[in-house]
Amino acid sequence: NFGPLPHRRRIVVVVGEPLNVPKIEKPTRKDVDEWHAKYVEKLMALYLDHKEIYNVDGEHEARVVR
């Protein structure tokens, strides 16, 4: 028994540079959307920069679900 995971799979974690987000006392929806877009942009760049290194094929493209 290996817990909640049904199959043993290799898990790769890649860490990028931090995204410095300012403290906004009362963020508007526009503020949240703006910083979310910046986060997703950095996340996708990190994925694209490293996917070939870890042999991610075309069947495993990244998707951000919101």
Side-chain angles (χ1 to χ4, degrees):
N1 184 359
F2 295 101
L5 301 176
H7 306 285
R8 285 184 178 210
R9 297 276 189 249
R10 179 175 72 135
I11 297 175
V12 175
V13 177
V14 178
V15 178
E17 65 181 69
L19 176 63
N20 295 317
V21 179
K23 181 173 183 174
I24 302 172
E25 290 295 328
K26 294 182 179 180
T28 64
R29 185 73 214 175
K30 182 181 174 187
D31 294 327
V32 173
D33 289 343
E34 176 185 342
W35 284 100
H36 179 263
K38 290 178 182 183
Y39 171 75
V40 170
E41 180 182 327
K42 294 283 189 177
L43 188 63
M44 292 303 293
L46 192 62
Y47 172 78
L48 293 173
D49 289 346
H50 291 85
K51 75 178 192 174
E52 290 182 16
I53 296 169
Y54 297 105
N55 296 318
V56 176
D57 58 29
E59 293 180 28
H60 297 94
E61 288 300 317
R63 294 183 306 167
V64 176
V65 180
R66 185 167 190 208

